Amino acid sequence: MVYPEFPDTFWSFKHALKFVGKRSALPPLGLLTVAAMLPPAWPVRLVDMNVRKVTEKDLDWADCAFISAMIVQRDPARRIAARLKAAGLLVVAGGPLFNSEHEQFEDVDHFILNEAELTLPPFLADLERGCPKRIYSSAEFADMHLTPLPRWDLLNLKRYATMSIQFTRGCPFDCDFCNITTLLGRRVRMKTSEQIIAELDGLYDRGWRGDVFFVDDNFIGNRNFLKTNLLPALIAWRKEKTGNVFFTEASINLADDQILMEMMVEAGFSKVFIGIETPDNVCLAECSKTQNRNRDLIADVKRIQRAGLQVQGGFIVGFDHDQPSIFQRQIDFIQKSGIVTAMVGLLQAPAGTRLHARMEKEGRLCAEFSGDNVDGTSNIIPAMSKEALKEGYRRILDHIYSPENFYRRIRTFLREYRPPTVRGHLELSHVLALLRSFFRIGIVSRGRFHYWKLLLWAQFHCPRLIPEAVILSIYGYHFRKVCKAHVK
Ligand code: B12
């Protein structure tokens, strides 16, 4: 099983990982899941190239290589596929990159597209009979009750900052720029609570006490099931356990459900990523983000923060209806909301989305999709001039990630945030991260004054939240490095 390396991106967290002495933020959950679907007699080895290199010994040992990747790993995936093929291995590939653009990979022998629960068994059966086809795909969506436990045993857990678990696939909403509904559908498919508890037990029994990311497209897609089934099971599971703080992705209507938020916090959730996109109602209508329209989005964010959930947010500029004032409006929104981790990108049109179809029809597709929506590039011609868009985008990033504004935002957030009752497990790596932050951020970096000011402020106002203040300062260090590289 081979997972190509990530470039240095917003979500790679490369610069932050150095503080905790980890190699990668998250494991390749797709490959761990696929590994569990292979014939039990097959010996399997995982090489996550974010953690270690593929060696000649690996190549001698293996007959067959399974690759997974996202578009953002396109070039490393191409390079490793060529190397595996040259070494005489049978090269099999699946996952988001190949679902979007398999034609471009000549060195791959077999593409197992879409969900492996449906497409892997026929491939394995044909392989056994000696007549495997080049492409296996499916227009159906898989029943997640059939998804096996990921093969945690293949991982060196110590190398990762966080583990991941998937509870649902699909999202009930249909934003025009998002390819999730094309990939995974609008009906929210779920695992059972028993499956999730078994996955968590698998991690806990292996000694994992770090954070766990529920990698759902929208965790609250089925609120009734959450409240009556999964969250009570997670609350019970957590009793007499330490660590394993959870985080996930959800839609803004989470703010409407106080009971759901309280149960999530009790179950150990401390963070949610929410697609806010834009404070402009007309642009929200343009992209069919109906769930965000006609709401007081800042009040929503604050309500979620007060419940004990830190909000991370995705923001987009470059909608057709964006006016020149949008850049300042985004800055004001981000600063006021106290969304410290604000992922701001230019509007891009991934293949398979309604936006892509519209751009194609209007002759506005202009480049290859980079796969990284925060790298300052876009594959579409914007309605406003490219220069104005780029300039405004740069202005947003310069502003929100400047030390002064970034640390101010952390204070805005900490003022609102209710400290979580479920705390992370203290590990040596955390102490080292603190010491490294004293040196790298508190002494060497440009924003050192703001760092100490924040810690002093937190000491007086919210001493229990000092760990959060340090973690967010480390994130800021990473974001500044990445943004500097992207908005040159
Ligand atoms: C977790 C996650 C992340 C993690 C990465 C974890 C990691 N190490 O891989 C983080 C937060 C870092 C991340 C970042 C990004 N992500 Co992301 N992420 C996800 C998310 C939410 C879940 C992925 C996951 O673990 N799924 C669970 C596993 C079980 O599913 P799976 O990987 O799809 O595997 C199944 C099949 O695809 C198949 N399969 C997969 N691999 C293989 C291999 C073989 C050989 C076979 C046979 C089958 C097979 O079988 C599996 C079982 O059915 C997905 C959305 C989604 N629901 O998939 C987006 C998603 C993968 N991310 C996406 C993107 C664009 C990004 C970012 C660029 C920015 C962003 N908008 O989030 C960055 C880039 C990464 C970087 N470091 O720079 C896109 C990728 C689109 C594409 N075509 O490439 C997705 C699909 C979301 C979307 N809306 O489009 N992401």
Side-chain angles (χ1 to χ4, degrees):
M1 301 275 148
V2 182
Y3 200 51
E5 70 266 40
F6 283 118
D8 186 5
T9 60
F10 188 91
W11 288 118
S12 70
F13 282 109
K14 272 194 182 155
H15 305 283
L17 289 167
K18 288 183 193 141
F19 286 80
V20 276
K22 305 285 179 187
R23 298 266 172 88
S24 182
L26 287 149
L29 187 58
L31 284 177
L32 298 179
T33 309
V34 170
M37 299 177 194
L38 295 176
W42 288 21
V44 179
R45 191 182 280 182
L46 170 82
V47 185
D48 177 351
M49 296 177 75
N50 298 287
V51 166
R52 77 161 176 92
K53 293 190 167 71
V54 173
T55 63
E56 289 307 309
K57 271 193 189 156
D58 292 322
L59 298 179
D60 289 345
W61 175 84
D63 303 310
C64 177
F66 283 67
I67 310 177
S68 178
M70 300 187 208
I71 292 179
V72 76
Q73 293 153 288
R74 180 191 283 133
D75 294 337
R78 192 170 285 136
R79 283 197 296 273
I80 191 63
R83 191 170 155 213
L84 294 164
K85 181 81 182 154
L89 276 73
L90 185 77
V91 182
V92 181
L97 168 65
F98 306 100
N99 287 334
S100 314
E101 42 186 75
H102 62 269
E103 309 83 15
Q104 301 184 22
F105 292 85
E106 285 157 14
D107 292 313
V108 173
D109 297 300
H110 305 285
F111 293 99
I112 316 301
L113 304 180
N114 311 111
E115 294 169 275
E117 288 84 347
L118 296 172
T119 49
L120 189 65
F123 166 68
L124 293 175
D126 289 351
L127 189 67
E128 177 85 33
R129 282 199 299 270
C131 55
K133 292 188 288 217
R134 183 153 163 80
I135 300 179
Y136 292 79
S137 64
S138 165
E140 310 279 302
F141 294 119
D143 174 357
M144 287 189 75
H145 297 155
L146 303 178
T147 307
L149 285 185
R151 287 273 310 264
W152 306 127
D153 59 296
L154 298 175
L155 279 181
N156 181 353
L157 297 179
K158 288 200 190 88
R159 299 286 182 232
Y160 294 89
T162 310
M163 282 296 123
S164 46
I165 277 195
Q166 189 180 41
F167 165 52
T168 66
R169 291 184 197 156
C171 176
F173 299 110
D174 199 17
C175 313
D176 82 341
F177 54 79
C178 176
N179 55 356
I180 281 299
T181 46
T182 318
L183 290 171
L184 297 167
R186 279 188 81 168
R187 192 171 60 82
V188 178
R189 292 165 291 134
M190 299 177 289
K191 289 181 185 164
T192 61
S193 298
E194 290 72 24
Q195 283 175 287
I196 293 299
I197 297 297
E199 293 192 23
L200 286 171
D201 279 341
L203 287 172
Y204 200 84
D205 294 346
R206 284 188 167 73
W208 182 257
R209 300 290 178 274
D211 292 356
V212 178
F213 181 13
F214 278 67
V215 293
D216 294 21
D217 307 308
N218 186 352
F219 182 71
I220 64 163
N222 187 329
R223 289 194 265 163
N224 185 39
F225 185 86
L226 280 181
K227 286 199 251 186
T228 57
N229 203 316
L230 182 69
L231 291 174
L234 291 178
I235 292 167
W237 179 83
R238 180 163 289 292
K239 294 217 167 89
E240 289 153 40
K241 292 204 171 54
T242 55
N244 292 158
V245 174
F246 303 145
F247 61 103
T248 191
E249 305 185 344
S251 42
I252 193 71
N253 53 330
L254 172 63
D256 303 336
D257 199 330
Q258 190 63 31
I259 294 175
L260 179 61
M261 290 191 286
E262 280 167 17
M263 288 183 80
M264 281 177 67
V265 171
E266 198 184 342
F269 284 85
S270 72
K271 266 188 289 197
V272 277
F273 180 92
I274 298 182
I276 306 272
E277 323 310 358
T278 172
D280 190 294
N281 250 317
V282 180
C283 294
L284 288 170
E286 174 188 319
C287 67
S288 310
K289 191 127 194 163
T290 44
Q291 69 274 29
N292 286 30
R293 286 189 65 204
N294 304 320
R295 306 182 62 111
D296 183 344
L297 290 166
I298 291 199
D300 291 335
V301 170
K302 303 253 174 205
R303 202 170 311 125
I304 300 172
Q305 292 167 339
R306 278 200 297 273
L309 294 163
Q310 182 190 150
V311 177
Q312 304 183 324
F315 298 88
I316 298 177
V317 285
F319 290 110
D320 284 1
H321 291 87
D322 269 343
Q323 302 300 314
S325 59
I326 190 61
F327 306 109
Q328 191 57 43
R329 288 178 66 195
Q330 290 278 23
I331 289 173
D332 293 343
F333 184 96
I334 292 167
Q335 288 301 120
K336 274 191 202 137
S337 65
I339 295 182
V340 182
T341 301
M343 174 182 91
V344 188
L346 295 186
L347 183 67
Q348 299 193 349
T353 58
R354 278 187 291 125
L355 178 65
H356 189 273
R358 178 164 75 86
M359 291 296 114
E360 194 165 34
K361 201 165 144 215
E362 294 175 12
R364 289 169 61 188
L365 289 174
C366 64
E368 190 176 42
F369 179 52
S370 74
D372 178 359
N373 56 355
V374 204
D375 65 359
T377 69
S378 179
N379 62 340
I380 60 178
I381 300 171
M384 76 170 69
S385 85
K386 259 191 185 170
E387 293 67 36
L389 181 57
K390 193 99 193 172
E391 174 51 36
Y393 180 61
R394 187 177 299 132
R395 192 150 70 79
I396 298 179
L397 293 191
D398 282 347
H399 187 99
I400 65 169
Y401 286 115
S402 75
E404 188 183 355
N405 294 312
F406 185 77
Y407 285 98
R408 180 175 297 148
R409 208 154 72 243
I410 298 182
R411 289 197 297 277
T412 305
F413 161 63
L414 294 179
R415 264 188 219 109
E416 212 71 48
Y417 188 47
R418 199 186 81 194
T421 41
V422 174
R423 305 294 307 202
H425 184 73
L426 187 68
E427 290 173 19
L428 178 65
S429 63
H430 299 144
V431 179
L432 290 175
L434 178 69
L435 298 177
R436 286 179 184 128
S437 80
F438 286 166
F439 177 69
R440 282 192 200 157
I441 311 178
I443 297 176
V444 180
S445 103
R446 193 164 62 86
R448 53 189 169 262
F449 163 72
H450 299 284
Y451 172 79
W452 292 115
K453 189 174 152 195
L454 171 71
L455 293 194
L456 201 67
W457 177 89
Q459 176 65 37
F460 284 108
H461 291 84
C462 48
R464 287 188 59 206
L465 291 174
I466 287 179
E468 275 76 10
V470 174
I471 294 168
L472 290 170
S473 305
I474 294 175
Y475 280 17
Y477 176 87
H478 168 77
F479 297 146
R480 269 192 294 282
K481 293 243 172 217
V482 174
C483 292
K484 214 161 134 194
H486 283 163
V487 294
K488 263 188 264 162

